[in-house]
Amino acid sequence: MAKNEIPLDDLLLEKIARALDRLEYGSIHIVVHDSQVVQIERTEKYRLPAEKPGTKIPQARTGK
């Protein structure tokens, strides 16, 4: 272990693992202040299937 390295506790590692659980597309942002993890942010993105070429998107009907 490095001179100023602080070991991560099991609870923190569990929280990071839970943030990663079932994440297909996205990111995990870990915020550190004074060598301590103070926040874990999870941003998840959902990828939708691409439209096939030539497929028209139905237009909204107007009440006229």
Side-chain angles (χ1 to χ4, degrees), residues 2-13:
K3 184 178 179 180
N4 292 327
E5 189 173 331
I6 299 170
L8 298 176
D9 66 1
D10 291 337
L11 180 61
L12 178 58
L13 292 175

Side-chain angles (χ1 to χ4, degrees), residues 25-53:
Y25 299 97
S27 61
I28 303 297
H29 185 94
I30 300 171
V31 180
V32 177
H33 288 281
D34 294 325
S35 300
Q36 297 292 317
V37 175
V38 295
Q39 186 171 322
I40 300 170
E41 299 175 18
R42 173 183 164 138
T43 303
E44 189 168 2
K45 299 178 185 286
Y46 295 98
R47 301 283 172 108
L48 304 175
E51 292 290 324
K52 294 180 182 177

